[in-house]
Amino acid sequence: MPEHHPPIARLRSLRSVALRTTHCAESAEFYHEVWGLRPVEQEHGATWLRGTGPEHHVLQLQQAAQNALGKIVFSVATPAEVDEAARRLDAHGIALVTEPGKLDQVGGGYGLRFGDPEGRLVELTADVEAVVPDDPDGHPAVPRKLAHVVLNTADIDTVCEFYTRVLGMRVSDWSEHQMAFLRCNSDHHVIAFNQAPFPSVNHVAYEMPSIDHFMRGIGRLRHHGITPLWGPGRHGPGNNTFSYFADPGGLVCEYTSEVEQVVEDAWLCRVWRRTPELSDLWGTAGPPSKDVRTHMAGVPDPGYTAWWYG
């Protein structure tokens, strides 16, 4: 019987996502001027942007030859937990990409990095620089935080096993055997995996403070001549509102609100059928079009080893 090792850490939240994009400058302008995020730093073909919440930044954009995931960043409570995560990763037989220590990057912090089974770069951080919240429940229709990241996978069972066994995440729901929704806190999901021919970025979702902010955000994009690829509507799994758009690089971004909150001791994982009635409970969006499916399919992501070491 294989030796059992505990999860490497208690993940507190999804902190940020880094995206590699063929249109960094145009996308940075879009996420600031249209989407509502605020730049906190720009350097060497990269931009870091924040929401109205307390995270230093929620999105990093990096100029690249093709669209890809840069990294996913989760928070842990203390540097000591980062050090313990390193010891437990070793027990799991998982090599570190970056040893525990102070991070020489925008926002600073103390952290480490490692790869998942399909070559995605995962970062755990503590002690990231504090910022003053920008009135996250105020009137402006702008995102307050990163809600979730959805990733396409060529092997949904392997990645789900890794993120639950190694990272201690829990599966909240399944959409048949096509999508898995995983949580690390009370939010229904902070990451989801979609079975596909190859690994790639499906979409990134940003949480609005309320359904009113959600609708007014959609209105602002319409004012800029940008209409949804899909939505507005309300999903079955997660019970969250949705409206999907494409950024200038072709990556899909989502406004969402009212994400279902999980009570750990009472929650029962469900398997949802993949029907229009369950993918959109309101019945306003209809099934996703071929265009939105093409955008969400993305392009094959070779993983961090294609650029991190060279």
Side-chain angles (χ1 to χ4, degrees):
M1 198 169 174
E3 186 178 357
H4 174 75
H5 297 290
I8 62 171
R10 180 188 171 193
L11 305 184
R12 306 305 175 107
S13 66
L14 174 65
R15 175 162 269 158
S16 65
V17 63
L19 298 175
R20 296 172 61 79
T21 173
T22 56
H23 292 69
C24 185
E26 299 94 326
S27 293
E29 182 179 9
F30 166 82
Y31 282 107
H32 174 40
E33 300 292 343
V34 181
W35 199 247
L37 302 179
R38 181 160 64 84
V40 291
E41 192 78 43
Q42 290 180 301
E43 62 176 38
H44 308 307
T47 300
W48 290 259
L49 302 104
R50 63 168 294 189
T52 59
E55 286 294 351
H56 180 274
H57 62 274
V58 299
L59 174 64
Q60 177 189 345
L61 298 169
Q62 177 72 53
Q63 182 66 36
Q66 71 168 68
N67 290 344
L69 179 72
K71 63 182 178 182
I72 318 167
V73 183
F74 296 101
S75 66
V76 297
T78 64
E81 290 188 20
V82 174
D83 292 337
E84 179 61 22
R87 289 189 285 271
R88 293 186 181 188
L89 281 164
D90 182 65
H92 280 278
I94 298 167
L96 293 176
V97 176
T98 303
E99 296 284 339
K102 290 185 177 180
L103 298 171
D104 182 17
Q105 63 183 19
V106 170
Y110 187 94
L112 58 75
R113 303 182 185 99
F114 58 94
D116 81 0
E118 291 184 312
R120 301 178 189 89
L121 191 63
V122 179
E123 181 178 285
L124 304 186
T125 59
D127 286 3
V128 172
E129 291 176 11
V131 294
V132 177
D134 280 348
D135 188 17
D137 297 312
H139 181 76
V142 297
R144 64 180 174 189
K145 72 172 187 176
L146 186 63
H148 58 261
V149 178
V150 176
L151 300 165
N152 296 319
T153 173
D155 189 344
I156 196 167
D157 293 316
T158 294
V159 294
C160 284
E161 195 268 345
F162 179 88
Y163 279 79
T164 54
R165 177 177 59 87
V166 177
L167 289 173
M169 303 185 81
R170 284 84 68 201
V171 177
S172 296
D173 283 322
W174 286 87
S175 177
E176 296 185 3
H177 195 234
Q178 178 65 36
M179 287 190 73
F181 300 86
L182 282 71
R183 68 186 185 274
C184 67
N185 51 32
S186 62
D187 288 345
H188 178 270
H189 58 287
V190 298
I191 193 168
F193 290 101
N194 176 62
Q195 182 67 43
F198 48 78
S200 61
V201 178
N202 186 288
H203 71 270
V204 176
Y206 303 82
E207 183 184 292
M208 291 297 214
S210 71
I211 195 167
D212 182 66
H213 291 81
F214 167 80
M215 291 303 295
R216 286 192 287 112
I218 295 171
R220 182 178 62 248
L221 268 80
R222 286 188 179 275
H223 177 76
H224 283 84
I226 302 170
T227 55
L229 291 173
W230 187 33
R234 183 183 288 277
H235 285 314
N239 198 39
N240 54 298
T241 64
F242 69 86
S243 195
Y244 298 90
F245 299 85
D247 72 15
L251 291 163
V252 178
C253 47
E254 176 192 1
Y255 279 151
T256 189
S257 65
E258 300 186 344
V259 177
E260 189 160 16
Q261 296 299 293
V262 169
V263 177
E264 285 291 339
D265 293 341
W267 186 260
L268 295 175
C269 179
R270 291 163 290 182
V271 179
W272 296 76
R273 292 178 56 232
R274 296 179 65 80
T275 65
E277 295 80 10
L278 295 176
S279 62
D280 174 22
L281 300 178
W282 287 347
T284 53
S289 66
K290 182 178 179 180
D291 183 41
V292 71
R293 290 185 184 278
T294 298
H295 274 88
M296 288 181 172
V299 296
D301 189 336
Y304 74 90
T305 54
W307 52 270
W308 184 262
Y309 297 114

